[in-house]
Amino acid sequence: MGRTVVVLGGGISGLAASYHLSRAPCPPKVVLVEGSERLGGWIRSVRGPNGAIFELGPRGIRPAGALGARTLLLVSELGLDSEVLPVRGDHPAAQNRFLYVGGALHALPTGLRGLLRPSPPFSKPLFWAGLRELTKPRGKEPDETVHSFAQRRLGPEVASLAMDSLCRGVFAGNSRELSIRSCFPSLFQAEQTHRSVLLGLLLGAGRTPQPDSALIRQALAERWSQWSLRGGLEMLPQALETHLTSRGVSVLRGQPVCGLSLQAEGRWKVSLRDSSLEADHVISAIPASVLSELLPAEAAPLARALSAITAVSVAVVNLQYQGAHLPVQGFGHLVPSSEDPGVLGIVYDSVAFPEQDGSPPGLRVTVMLGGSWLQTLEASGCVLSQELFQQRAQEAAATQLGLKELPSHCLVHLHKNCIPQYTLGHWQKLGQEPVQVATES
């Protein structure tokens, strides 16, 4: 009898795991179990009345490094090359990023010339922060918050403006709580290996072998900063589902897992709402807190470690304006917590991917809401209505981008507990005995 592998969760991680299992030299029987009626997880693309594409979740994928190359190879293997929309290195969306500080947009400096010039909102040229970093000794603690790490190595302004904003943009989290070792392992490792983050990033950690394809070579030659797909990123999970079905993978939708138990013969029993499955291996691509409630008593230490990984919610508000123009051209801007505790940032979707603006074309932006403002609302039991998020987003677009007219189209989506928070000491949780279950943490 061949092996059976059950994959929990039909988001992009579960789909990718099933894909690679199905393409193994001796593929096992693969069963993908998804609790909801749709696949794709946080990735969801919606077409508006004028044909415009609105991303309710992620909107672009970075091609950098071995992981980025493997994703591009996956795109090619799925036959999606002709659907790729790249953002090339010379494009404004690749070159320009902004911070909203003191009621104004400030371009982040790029290149050596930019580092040598005064660059508001920073009081001095960032060259001096770099010089400070090169002279600082190596940290002695096994972990540190992102804020503490950045303040120690680069100074208080970089920590409170740039790194605070980056943590909000990437993790919707608090830089004074997030772990540098777990959230930005390359920065942590650079300091540990080379004493200096800048030296470590310049010297690198050695070239990681990566796959090769025409699309990968094109991305390198044109210095892509990110890419999407013509019909939205949801084309990727849709293509994966089609491929998995053709390879004989069983895809079960609307089947939330109720529990996992270890049988006497070492196999797993996966209990569903109305039935059960038996598996030699279980791969989890569901949130850590959800998995913690499914594990058997034998895995209590792992369950405790998983339940300790918290997550935060993010409200995504897609806005489209007819006849409007942005004051700047770039990828978007981030907002430090000192400026606005609720607005994480605004992405200028139409700059990066004008092909998705619809007909007649309209300016598309996405406002990300979260942070302490949303956490306070959730904790207070306040009704989190679409009207509340739409009003907050329209105010941010008007104040920060000058988009004062009413949008022609608006979508509001609240992603509950969508981004795990790898707080100080998270690395210690990863040493837990996995009890034969591969988990996403």
Side-chain angles (χ1 to χ4, degrees):
M1 293 289 289
R3 296 171 300 144
T4 297
V5 180
V6 171
V7 179
L8 308 181
I12 192 64
S13 297
L15 288 165
S18 301
Y19 173 83
H20 290 292
L21 285 168
S22 72
R23 292 172 66 91
C26 297
K29 177 185 177 183
V30 181
V31 182
L32 176 63
V33 182
E34 165 57 37
S36 71
E37 293 295 340
R38 63 173 290 274
L39 301 179
W42 306 118
I43 298 178
R44 189 171 181 187
S45 310
V46 174
R47 193 173 291 275
N50 68 337
I53 300 295
F54 298 95
E55 299 286 9
L56 306 188
R59 62 215 50 249
I61 297 178
R62 289 170 50 82
L67 288 175
R70 283 199 286 271
T71 307
L72 286 174
L73 183 63
L74 170 66
V75 166
S76 295
E77 290 170 346
L78 293 171
L80 293 173
D81 287 44
S82 62
E83 303 296 333
V84 173
L85 298 177
V87 177
R88 298 176 177 86
D90 58 356
H91 193 280
Q95 295 187 335
N96 304 328
R97 283 169 167 75
F98 301 86
L99 288 179
Y100 183 79
V101 179
L105 290 171
H106 302 279
L108 288 171
T110 57
L112 182 59
R113 186 175 297 178
L115 296 176
L116 293 172
R117 291 176 173 171
S119 50
F122 305 103
S123 60
K124 299 177 184 176
L126 288 181
F127 168 80
W128 296 107
L131 190 63
R132 169 196 174 108
E133 202 284 324
L134 288 169
T135 62
K136 283 290 176 182
R138 180 187 291 109
K140 296 179 181 179
E141 296 299 323
D143 198 4
E144 199 171 355
T145 68
V146 174
H147 179 87
S148 171
F149 181 89
Q151 181 168 265
R152 177 171 58 81
R153 298 213 63 88
L154 295 161
E157 278 193 339
V158 173
S160 61
L161 295 176
M163 293 306 287
D164 174 279
S165 300
L166 183 61
C167 286
R168 284 159 62 80
V170 176
F171 298 97
N174 186 341
S175 65
R176 296 173 185 270
E177 298 174 357
L178 294 174
S179 154
I180 190 72
R181 179 168 180 164
S182 298
C183 294
F184 299 100
S186 62
L187 303 186
F188 176 82
Q189 199 55 50
E191 183 192 41
Q192 293 300 308
T193 306
H194 299 281
R195 185 193 53 78
S196 160
V197 172
L198 294 181
L199 279 178
L201 295 178
L202 283 171
L203 297 173
R207 184 169 175 80
T208 304
Q210 61 182 48
D212 180 55
S213 73
L215 195 62
I216 293 169
R217 290 192 294 273
Q218 182 185 352
L220 288 170
E222 297 175 352
R223 299 181 296 112
W224 295 3
S225 67
Q226 62 169 321
W227 56 269
S228 185
L229 296 168
R230 197 168 303 278
L233 273 187
E234 195 171 357
M235 289 184 73
L236 183 57
Q238 289 169 348
L240 278 166
E241 180 188 8
T242 300
H243 180 87
L244 293 177
T245 305
S246 73
R247 302 280 295 193
V249 173
S250 299
V251 178
L252 306 181
R253 302 165 181 256
Q255 294 285 344
V257 177
C258 302
L260 299 169
S261 56
L262 204 52
Q263 305 299 290
E265 63 276 17
R267 303 190 83 211
W268 285 91
K269 179 182 179 182
V270 181
S271 299
L272 306 178
R273 186 165 47 198
D274 302 317
S275 60
S276 65
L277 303 167
E278 285 204 355
D280 298 286
H281 304 281
V282 175
I283 295 177
S284 173
I286 57 179
S289 60
V290 176
L291 177 61
S292 71
E293 297 177 359
L294 302 177
L295 291 171
E298 300 95 312
L302 175 59
R304 283 194 296 272
L306 290 171
S307 65
I309 301 173
T310 59
V312 295
S313 304
V314 174
V316 176
V317 184
N318 305 91
L319 300 170
Q320 185 167 38
Y321 298 86
Q322 295 298 326
H325 301 280
L326 291 168
V328 294
Q329 293 291 294
F331 174 77
H333 70 258
L334 294 173
V335 184
S337 56
S338 57
E339 186 74 24
D340 189 318
V343 180
L344 306 175
I346 303 181
V347 182
Y348 314 157
D349 300 298
S350 288
V351 178
F353 304 115
E355 301 92 339
Q356 298 177 335
D357 281 347
S359 181
L363 174 67
R364 293 173 302 121
V365 299
T366 302
V367 182
M368 307 290 186
L369 302 172
S372 60
W373 171 77
L374 182 52
Q375 290 169 349
T376 301
L377 286 180
E378 289 181 310
S380 68
C382 174
V383 177
L384 303 177
S385 66
Q386 291 207 345
E387 292 75 19
L388 170 69
F389 293 128
Q390 180 174 345
Q391 180 184 353
R392 192 80 164 82
Q394 288 179 204
E395 288 172 354
T399 303
Q400 300 176 15
L401 293 174
L403 301 174
K404 299 186 184 300
E405 60 270 42
L406 289 175
S408 58
H409 193 64
C410 175
L411 291 171
V412 178
H413 198 80
L414 177 62
H415 294 287
K416 294 283 289 181
N417 303 319
C418 63
I419 304 181
Q421 300 294 286
Y422 301 152
T423 52
L424 186 67
H426 175 78
W427 67 278
Q428 294 171 305
K429 299 186 180 83
L430 306 183
Q432 296 290 333
E433 179 62 39
V435 196
Q436 297 180 340
V437 183
T439 68
E440 263 202 339
S441 58

